[in-house]
């Protein structure tokens, strides 16, 4: 089931984002290794891509923020130039120190490249047992505003105000994307997740936009549901959901909950679709500094995100070859990493995927 879902996912993303057509000559892709275990899992993906003879050249960049003349922190110009030129990027996990005034680099990337839609497929993996074996859904998260707009200030000592920004333009755009995605992927049900009963103006605007867009897609079932109700129902019967669209913070929470149903963030891919054909695919787990450099990391999330990237680039044959090998290795308990209940190292897991990729030729 998982293979079928992954195969149907990204071609429609390419159509929706207006991505350019890629030739079979080597394409340049921006690689952001990230922090903690990021360099290790990025190296694993590069090794597997080499085994599969993927026609890609990597342009490795650092997104460590730099302070400009105006005193503001920003992504380095080299990284911005690379993404604007290559249009496609793969990103490992990035860390942000908590409570120290540092900007979130993940948030900065989304805003810099207007990555307005985060798409995260969540499905059961055949052969890897979890409490749920029938999960097959996609969360689509508005990625640029909401509580993550970064607008905060102190009113008086001991009182801080954080602004939740919801705009009609952003809400309409992500709602349109969600319905287009559903139609292009033969999915027939979109659920708008909200708390308009409490935040009547902000979530009310988001919900109104979803309703207006739904009127244009009479072939797709549309309903709307409170976030807390969705969370309750999700852990009782995830098969009740298909495509879910929601504002930023709700998407962050709910997509992680969904990942927990199928094995965790270590096996969950993610893609961020932006304006002008730019897309960044990423692992959504943390930097895991406690195991960094110890050959214990699981590269599956970044690898499956890279598979999404390949299909986005219309390199379907290479994507299927890598995906099949990776899912088959996950089914084999002898090669699972510790987070999946096994004892294999990152190197052993990666080498086994490479071996199976080569044997599939």
């Amino acid at each position: 089931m998982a293979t079928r879902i992954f195969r149907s996912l990204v071609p429609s993303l390419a159509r929706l984002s207006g991505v350019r057509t890629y030739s079979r000559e080597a394409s340049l892709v921006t690689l952001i290794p990230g922090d903690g275990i990021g360099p290790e899992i990025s190296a694993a993906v590069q090794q597997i891509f080499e085994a599969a003879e993927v026609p890609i050249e990597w342009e490795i960049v650092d997104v460590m923020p730099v302070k400009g003349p105006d005193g503001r922190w920003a992504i380095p110009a080299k990284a911005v130039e690379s993404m604007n030129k290559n249009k496609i990027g793969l990103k490992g996990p990035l860390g942000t120190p908590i409570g120290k005034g540092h900007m979130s680099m993940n948030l900065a990337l989304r805003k810099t490249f207007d990555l307005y839609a985060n798409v995260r497929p969540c499905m059961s993996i055949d052969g890897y047992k979890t409490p749920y074996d029938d999960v097959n859904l996609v969360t689509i998260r508005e990625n640029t505003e909401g509580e993550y707009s970064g607008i905060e200030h102190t009113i008086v000592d001991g009182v801080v105000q954080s602004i939740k920004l919801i705009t009609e333009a952003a809400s309409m755009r992500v709602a349109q994307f969600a319905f287009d995605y559903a139609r292009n992927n033969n999915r027939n049900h979109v659920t708008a997740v909200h708390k308009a009963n409490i935040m009547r103006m902000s979530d009310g605007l988001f919900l109104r936009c979803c309703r207006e867009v739904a009127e244009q897609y009479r072939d797709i079932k549309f309903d709307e549901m409170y976030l807390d109700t969705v969370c309750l129902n999700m852990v009782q019967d995830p098969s009740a959901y298909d495509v879910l669209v929601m504002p930023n913070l709700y998407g962050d929470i709910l997509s992680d909950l969904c990942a927990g149903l199928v094995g965790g963030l270590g096996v969950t891919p993610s893609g961020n679709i932006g304006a002008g054909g730019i897309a960044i695919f990423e692992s959504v787990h943390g930097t895991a500094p406690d195991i960094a450099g110890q050959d214990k990391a699981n590269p599956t999330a970044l690898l499956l995100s890279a598979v999404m990237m390949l299909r986005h680039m219309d390199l379907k044959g290479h994507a299927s070859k890598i995906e099949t090998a990776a899912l088959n290795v996950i089914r084999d308990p002898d090669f699972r990493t510790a987070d999946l209940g096994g004892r294999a190292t990152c190197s052993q897991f990666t080498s086994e995927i490479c071996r199976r990729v080569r044997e599939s030729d």
Side-chain angles (χ1 to χ4, degrees):
M1 179 175 66
T3 301
R4 175 181 60 81
I5 296 169
F6 279 121
R7 285 177 179 170
S8 67
L9 173 68
V10 181
S12 294
L13 289 186
R15 291 194 295 272
L16 291 172
S17 64
V19 72
R20 63 190 179 188
T21 301
Y22 290 84
S23 69
R24 289 301 171 267
E25 297 179 357
S27 299
L28 200 57
V29 171
T30 299
L31 176 62
I32 304 169
D35 305 318
I37 61 172
E40 297 171 65
I41 61 176
S42 295
V45 170
Q46 289 177 282
Q47 185 179 339
I48 294 166
F49 270 43
E50 183 177 357
E53 299 182 350
V54 178
I56 277 179
E57 293 181 5
W58 302 100
E59 185 171 52
I60 301 175
V61 298
D62 184 6
V63 294
M64 180 68 69
V66 295
K67 197 172 187 178
D70 58 358
R72 296 182 178 180
W73 295 90
I75 297 171
K78 180 180 178 182
V80 175
E81 292 169 3
S82 177
M83 274 305 309
N84 284 332
K85 176 186 63 176
N86 300 333
K87 301 295 184 183
I88 303 297
L90 182 67
K91 181 185 76 64
L94 294 172
T96 300
I98 297 175
K100 296 184 179 180
H102 293 268
M103 68 184 302
S104 165
M105 292 313 302
N106 290 311
L107 180 59
L109 285 168
R110 294 169 198 153
K111 289 191 172 183
T112 299
F113 301 111
D114 197 15
L115 301 171
Y116 65 89
N118 174 258
V119 182
R120 201 187 296 186
C122 183
M123 69 286 298
S124 301
I125 297 177
D126 295 337
Y128 180 65
K129 183 63 178 176
T130 70
Y132 303 86
D133 58 9
D134 58 350
V135 182
N136 177 1
L137 59 89
V138 179
T139 60
I140 297 178
R141 162 188 174 188
E142 201 293 316
N143 221 14
T144 63
E145 53 180 32
E147 290 87 348
Y148 291 0
S149 300
I151 308 172
E152 294 185 313
H153 57 269
T154 299
I155 299 177
V156 296
D157 287 345
V159 180
V160 174
Q161 185 178 57
S162 179
I163 304 298
K164 174 176 179 173
L165 179 68
I166 298 289
T167 66
E168 182 178 20
S171 299
M172 291 292 287
R173 180 167 64 169
V174 76
Q176 185 81 50
F177 181 93
F179 278 91
D180 282 342
Y181 172 85
R183 177 177 285 173
N184 290 330
N185 284 278
N186 298 315
R187 292 180 176 269
N188 57 17
H189 184 189
V190 172
T191 301
V193 183
H194 67 97
K195 285 294 291 182
N197 57 325
I198 304 298
M199 287 164 278
R200 298 182 182 277
M201 295 185 68
S202 56
D203 280 24
L205 174 58
F206 178 84
L207 186 57
R208 176 174 64 79
C209 292
C210 290
R211 290 170 178 170
E212 290 182 11
V213 173
E215 289 296 317
Q216 307 168 27
Y217 295 82
R218 295 302 183 92
D219 55 316
I220 297 173
K221 179 183 177 182
F222 172 69
D223 60 8
E224 49 198 59
M225 196 170 292
Y226 299 144
L227 172 65
D228 44 342
T229 303
V230 172
C231 291
L232 173 64
N233 293 344
M234 185 69 72
V235 298
Q236 293 178 328
D237 182 16
S239 66
Y241 297 100
D242 192 1
V243 175
L244 302 102
V245 60
M246 64 212 81
N248 207 336
L249 175 62
Y250 307 160
D252 194 5
I253 296 169
L254 190 56
S255 59
D256 278 11
L257 184 153
C258 292
L261 304 178
V262 298
L265 295 176
V267 294
T268 305
S270 177
N272 299 286
I273 307 303
I278 287 183
I280 297 179
F281 298 85
E282 62 179 348
S283 56
V284 291
H285 54 68
T287 59
D290 55 319
I291 62 169
Q294 300 178 36
D295 200 21
K296 296 180 179 179
N298 177 6
T300 300
L302 188 63
L303 180 62
L304 294 181
S305 298
V307 167
M308 290 178 66
M309 179 188 76
L310 290 179
R311 294 205 170 97
H312 185 78
M313 299 173 67
D314 202 26
L315 294 170
K316 300 182 181 67
H318 294 88
S320 296
K321 182 190 299 185
I322 293 171
E323 178 184 73
T324 298
L327 295 179
N328 284 338
V329 171
I330 291 174
R331 294 186 187 103
D332 189 337
D334 292 338
F335 292 100
R336 291 177 185 165
T337 50
D339 61 311
L340 298 179
R343 296 185 177 181
T345 64
C346 179
S347 297
Q348 291 168 336
F349 181 82
T350 302
S351 295
E352 181 63 14
I353 294 176
C354 289
R355 184 185 70 80
R356 298 191 188 209
V357 163
R358 294 189 185 99
E359 287 185 352
S360 68
D361 291 334

